[in-house]
Amino acid sequence: HVFFFFFIQRSARNVENTLASLPGLEKLQQDKPSTAFFGNWGIVAAVKRISEKSPDAVGFQPKLFMGKAGKGIVVQHKVSSKDTRDAVAQQWQALTAAVVSPNTVLIFHLKNHYALVFACREWEVNGERVRQILTARKGQRPSVWIDFNEARTTMIKWPGYKMLSVTRV
């Protein structure tokens, strides 16, 4: 009771925010947890908060790395169904540079799932470039190579599907 009373005295808004987040907390505690309540904004906010609270003065900078642009949404590398081959090649170069960066991790928000991007690979078959990323459709272990074109299509379909970067600064 004292804990709840403290919140009421402090701010009714804090209580409302806490209660509003309960459905999200319930989703995270299910047998099959869901992050649907939080979205990209929640991950970005959590990384910023962790960085601000770090006792070691180690900072982390989260960004919306790649995805479809939207109203008021800043994305480092925008993807569009109208992208030229050169634009796609530049996106791929940015992605591979981030993957090999020792201070950056990429998190792919693909269809109803968040997973790390573990690696990327590229080769040619009959004059056509094949570009793939190693990630996970289920769970968190690197388990599937997804064509970069499929990843782009996923991000283009809905502005919520993006790749996020977290860089140690």
Side-chain angles (χ1 to χ4, degrees), residues 81-140:
S81 59
K82 298 176 184 176
D83 287 339
T84 64
R85 281 182 171 223
D86 287 343
V88 173
Q90 289 173 352
Q91 294 160 4
W92 178 252
Q93 285 180 328
L95 176 76
T96 57
V99 167
V100 299
S101 172
N103 293 318
T104 299
V105 295
L106 294 179
I107 303 167
F108 187 18
H109 181 194
L110 58 163
K111 297 173 184 171
N112 300 314
H113 186 63
Y114 286 93
L116 292 172
V117 175
F118 294 94
C120 49
R121 65 185 181 183
E122 176 180 26
W123 70 94
E124 271 192 41
V125 175
N126 299 327
E128 289 291 319
R129 290 207 183 275
V130 178
R131 297 174 172 136
Q132 296 181 333
I133 60 171
L134 179 61
T135 189
R137 291 193 197 272
K138 294 180 181 179
Q140 293 302 317

Side-chain angles (χ1 to χ4, degrees), residues 18-163:
T18 301
L19 293 175
S21 69
L22 289 178
L25 293 174
E26 287 176 15
K27 286 183 178 187
L28 281 174
Q29 295 173 352
Q30 294 174 352
D31 288 339
K32 291 187 175 184
S34 170
T35 57
F37 182 78
F38 300 99
N40 297 333
W41 63 268
I43 292 175
V44 169
V47 170
K48 285 181 180 177
R49 189 167 184 171
I50 289 168
S51 185
E52 291 166 1
K53 305 277 184 188
S54 173
D56 302 331
V58 174
F60 298 96
Q61 185 176 43
K63 290 185 180 179
L64 298 178
F65 179 76
M66 186 176 289
K68 187 175 180 179
K71 245 184 179 179
I73 298 173
V74 178
V75 180
Q76 276 186 295
H77 304 282
K78 298 173 188 163
V79 296
S80 165
S81 59
K82 298 176 184 176
D83 287 339
T84 64
R85 281 182 171 223
D86 287 343
V88 173
Q90 289 173 352
Q91 294 160 4
W92 178 252
Q93 285 180 328
L95 176 76
T96 57
V99 167
V100 299
S101 172
N103 293 318
T104 299
V105 295
L106 294 179
I107 303 167
F108 187 18
H109 181 194
L110 58 163
K111 297 173 184 171
N112 300 314
H113 186 63
Y114 286 93
L116 292 172
V117 175
F118 294 94
C120 49
R121 65 185 181 183
E122 176 180 26
W123 70 94
E124 271 192 41
V125 175
N126 299 327
E128 289 291 319
R129 290 207 183 275
V130 178
R131 297 174 172 136
Q132 296 181 333
I133 60 171
L134 179 61
T135 189
R137 291 193 197 272
K138 294 180 181 179
Q140 293 302 317
R141 292 183 181 173
S143 57
V144 64
W145 287 97
I146 297 176
D147 282 338
F148 183 55
N149 287 333
E150 179 185 340
R152 290 183 75 261
T153 299
T154 298
M155 291 184 279
I156 290 167
K157 280 185 181 178
W158 182 58
Y161 295 139
K162 297 201 180 332
M163 286 190 194

Side-chain angles (χ1 to χ4, degrees), residues 1-15:
H1 297 330
V2 173
F3 183 72
F4 190 69
F5 183 71
F6 172 76
F7 271 115
I8 291 174
Q9 281 187 326
R10 201 164 157 220
S11 165
R13 182 180 296 159
N14 284 347
V15 173

